[in-house]
Amino acid sequence: MTSNVIEIGSAIPITPEIDEISEDIFGLDRPSSILIVEGETDKDLIEKYIFLKKIEINFSIRTAKMAEGGDRGGKKVAIDYYRKNIGKQDIKLLIDRDYDFICSENIEDSNIFYYDYYEIENYILEEKVLKHACISNNISTEEINKVIEFLNSSDNEILSPLFECSKLRIFRELHKSDKTELKLDSEVIEVYCEFAKDIDIKGCLIGKKPEIRGSSFKERIDYYLYSKLHEIDSDLYSKINVQLERFEIGYPNSIWDFLKYYYKGKDVIKFISDLFQYLGILSCSLKEINTKKLFNTY
C-alpha cells in the first residue's frame, strides 16, 4: 500500500527505535520499507518536497535518534540500525557526505545514499537558490553577476585561508578514525575539537576583534589559527600540518565547489554575506541568509 500522508510539525521525533518499541511492547508490525535520514531538518524538508511534488511513496521516513555525547551522531545511529536490521526490513539511508569521501570513510552499499554536497544545508549554494536569496534581499542583477563570477573563480586570497580551516576539521575526523600517527590525549583532543568546530571565520573577515590581528583575511586567519592552537599545545599547528602532508587532499579549484563539498553548510551560511562585503562585491548584507528562511522559501 502506498502512502502520501505527510506528518509535518510533529513534536515527537519518529525514529527507528519507535518501530522497535512498537513491535516489542505493543506487538505492532514495523513498516516493511523505511528511509532513514540523520535529523529532523532532513525529514521535514524531504516530506515537504514529496508533498509539494505530489509524489506517492510506499515507505516510511524515520529520523536517526541523536544520542547524547560521544561519537554516536545521527549518521552513526542510522548505520548501526541498518546493519542490525537489514534482514528484517527494506532499509535505505540518506546521509551527509561530511568528510567521508576525503577520509575514505564512505560506505559503498546500494542501500546507502549520500547527499551531493557536504550536508543538506549546502544545497543553499545551488546557483538558482543563491540568486533567489540575493533577489529577495534587493540585490541588483549587476551585483548578483559579480557574486556568481567570484564563486566560479579560484581566488587564492580566499581559498588558501579556507583550506587551512578545513584541514583542521579533516584532521579531527582522521584522528577520530585512528588514521593519524599523532595521537592527542583525551583532554587535548576535546579542546581541539571544540575549537575546530567553531572556527571564527566571520570574525577574521570583519577583523574587529582584538585577539584577531592582521591587515587581510589571510593574515588574520593565519594569526588566529596559530595563536588558538598554540594555547592548546605550543607545537600543535606544525604537528597537524606534518600529519596532513601524508594525505593527498584534492581541493577543488573554484570557491563554489569548495564551499559545496568541503565546508559545513550551516557554517557557510554564517559568514558568506560578510565574505561578499569584505570583497566589496555587495554593498549591503544578505539579512535573510539563514537556514530556516532559505529552506522554507526555496
Side-chain angles (χ1 to χ4, degrees), residues 134-151:
C134 288
I135 290 170
S136 69
N137 279 267
N138 295 316
I139 305 300
S140 69
T141 55
E142 181 182 357
E143 287 188 324
I144 294 173
N145 285 330
K146 288 180 181 178
V147 166
I148 303 304
E149 182 182 357
F150 163 71
L151 290 173

Side-chain angles (χ1 to χ4, degrees), residues 227-239:
S227 60
K228 287 294 184 181
L229 291 175
H230 185 81
E231 292 175 6
I232 301 172
D233 181 318
S234 59
D235 297 320
L236 187 54
Y237 201 9
S238 61
K239 289 177 181 176

Side-chain angles (χ1 to χ4, degrees), residues 97-275:
R97 289 176 72 92
D98 298 323
Y99 286 124
D100 287 12
F101 287 80
I102 298 167
C103 299
S104 299
E105 292 290 312
N106 57 298
I107 302 171
E108 294 186 8
D109 187 304
S110 61
N111 294 311
I112 298 178
F113 301 86
Y114 288 88
Y115 287 122
D116 297 296
Y117 309 125
Y118 187 97
E119 62 182 2
I120 198 169
E121 282 78 7
N122 291 70
Y123 283 94
I124 289 168
L125 291 162
E126 290 276 7
E127 183 172 340
K128 181 179 179 180
V129 178
L130 195 56
K131 283 180 176 178
H132 276 293
C134 288
I135 290 170
S136 69
N137 279 267
N138 295 316
I139 305 300
S140 69
T141 55
E142 181 182 357
E143 287 188 324
I144 294 173
N145 285 330
K146 288 180 181 178
V147 166
I148 303 304
E149 182 182 357
F150 163 71
L151 290 173
N152 279 313
S153 73
S154 55
D155 188 331
N156 195 54
E157 181 198 349
I158 302 302
L159 275 177
S160 178
L162 290 177
F163 287 168
E164 292 302 307
C165 296
S166 72
K167 284 178 182 178
L168 298 184
R169 293 184 170 187
I170 290 170
F171 173 79
R172 177 188 62 187
E173 297 305 309
L174 291 168
H175 187 280
K176 184 171 68 175
S177 303
D178 292 322
K179 292 186 177 181
T180 59
E181 293 179 1
L182 175 62
K183 305 298 180 186
L184 305 177
D185 63 46
S186 58
E187 183 177 341
V188 171
I189 194 61
E190 183 177 344
V191 176
Y192 173 82
C193 287
E194 282 300 309
F195 167 69
K197 182 178 70 174
D198 296 314
I199 295 173
D200 190 4
I201 292 179
K202 183 174 181 176
C204 291
L205 282 167
I206 298 172
K208 293 183 178 180
K209 295 184 178 180
E211 70 271 20
I212 301 178
R213 304 176 188 175
S215 59
S216 68
F217 175 51
K218 186 177 186 310
E219 287 182 6
R220 289 192 286 269
I221 280 283
D222 288 343
Y223 179 85
Y224 169 73
L225 295 181
Y226 176 81
S227 60
K228 287 294 184 181
L229 291 175
H230 185 81
E231 292 175 6
I232 301 172
D233 181 318
S234 59
D235 297 320
L236 187 54
Y237 201 9
S238 61
K239 289 177 181 176
I240 289 173
N241 280 318
V242 168
Q243 289 291 301
L244 290 175
E245 286 175 2
R246 297 175 51 237
F247 299 91
E248 295 183 4
I249 302 172
Y251 281 119
N253 293 322
S254 76
I255 293 168
W256 214 329
D257 282 344
F258 173 80
L259 295 178
K260 284 179 180 177
Y261 296 99
Y262 285 77
Y263 220 82
K264 193 174 184 66
K266 295 183 185 72
D267 294 337
V268 174
I269 293 166
K270 295 175 184 177
F271 69 75
I272 196 165
S273 177
D274 296 283
L275 175 59

Side-chain angles (χ1 to χ4, degrees), residues 3-6 46-57:
S3 170
N4 60 359
V5 177
I6 306 302
I46 291 168
E47 287 180 333
K48 286 176 179 176
Y49 178 84
I50 291 169
F51 173 76
L52 290 172
K53 295 293 183 179
K54 298 181 180 179
I55 300 170
E56 288 198 356
I57 61 174

